[in-house]
Amino acid sequence: MNIRILQECDAQLYQKVRLQALKLNPEAFGSTYEREAGFSLETVKERVKPTGDKYIVGAFDDGNSLVGMVTFVRESSLKIRHKGNVFGMYIAPGNRGQGLGKSLMKELIRRAQECDGLEQLNLTVVSTNVFAKKLYKSLGFEVYGIERHALKYRGHYFDEDLMVLMI
C-alpha cells in the first residue's frame, strides 16, 4: 500500500471512492450521495487540494486505486485554532480488516503533530460502529461525550460518540 496526501490530480479517484462511501455507509457521514453526486470536478479538486490546515490522506493499492481515505481540517478561528478535526474515514469493503485504517490515522496524526500550535484532534463516530471506535481507542482517542440523534437518515436517528486525542 502507498499512503500519501491526495493532490488535485486525484480528484476523480477521490470522488469515485467518496460516492461509494456515501452509498454503502450513508449512516456514517453527514453528507449524502445525492448531494455530492452533483459536485463538479472543479468543486472536488478544491476539496482535495491540500493546504497546511486541510488535507486528505489516501491509501492506494498496488494497482494505484484509491482504497481508503481520511480528512484533516484544522479550525481557523483564533480561539479554537489549537484543534483539528478528523472527517470522512472510509476503507473500501475489499480492503477492510487489514490495518489500513490504522495506517491512515497514524499518518494523519503524524502530520497533525507537525502543525505549529495544534494540541488536539477531535472526531465523531456513530456510536454503534464498534470497529471504528476500537480503532480510534487503540490510537489513544477517548470518548468525551455522546450526541444523541446526531444524524437522521431516512427516518432513523444515529447517535455519535465525540472523541479526542491530545497530541
Side-chain angles (χ1 to χ4, degrees), residues 132-147:
K133 288 180 6 180
K134 182 178 175 184
L135 165 66
Y136 300 137
K137 286 179 181 179
S138 77
L139 293 164
F141 282 85
E142 297 176 347
V143 174
Y144 68 90
I146 298 172
E147 182 180 356

Side-chain angles (χ1 to χ4, degrees), residues 76 84 150 154:
S76 58
R154 295 188 175 165

Side-chain angles (χ1 to χ4, degrees), residues 5-146:
I5 300 297
L6 298 187
Q7 303 296 321
E8 288 173 274
C9 62
D10 298 311
Q12 286 183 311
L13 291 172
Y14 167 83
Q15 184 68 343
K16 178 183 173 188
V17 175
R18 176 71 176 168
L19 291 175
Q20 177 188 60
L22 293 170
K23 190 176 274 190
L24 293 179
N25 298 106
E27 76 288 349
F29 302 97
S31 190
T32 64
Y33 176 89
E34 294 76 15
R35 175 178 175 260
E36 293 194 22
F39 285 180
S40 70
L41 185 57
E42 288 307 311
T43 298
V44 177
K45 282 182 179 180
E46 190 58 36
R47 176 182 265 192
V48 171
K49 182 179 177 179
T51 69
D53 292 337
K54 171 190 74 84
Y55 52 83
I56 301 169
V57 182
F60 295 82
D61 65 13
D62 295 336
N64 208 30
S65 293
L66 182 63
V67 295
M69 58 193 181
V70 64
T71 301
F72 168 82
V73 179
R74 185 176 189 167
E75 295 288 353
S76 58
S77 298
L78 180 65
K79 291 183 179 180
I80 56 174
R81 191 153 169 75
H82 65 286
K83 298 190 281 187
N85 298 291
V86 178
F87 296 109
M89 166 63 95
Y90 179 74
I91 307 296
N95 298 91
R96 295 177 183 170
Q98 302 172 23
L100 194 50
K102 186 171 241 179
S103 296
L104 283 170
M105 285 299 296
K106 282 183 174 181
E107 180 63 12
L108 184 145
I109 292 166
R110 184 190 70 75
R111 288 179 173 274
Q113 289 171 328
E114 295 174 355
C115 292
D116 188 42
L118 192 73
E119 299 174 13
Q120 69 188 68
L121 288 173
N122 294 331
L123 62 80
T124 62
V125 59
V126 173
S127 298
T128 56
N129 190 338
V130 177
F131 294 111
K133 288 180 6 180
K134 182 178 175 184
L135 165 66
Y136 300 137
K137 286 179 181 179
S138 77
L139 293 164
F141 282 85
E142 297 176 347
V143 174
Y144 68 90
I146 298 172

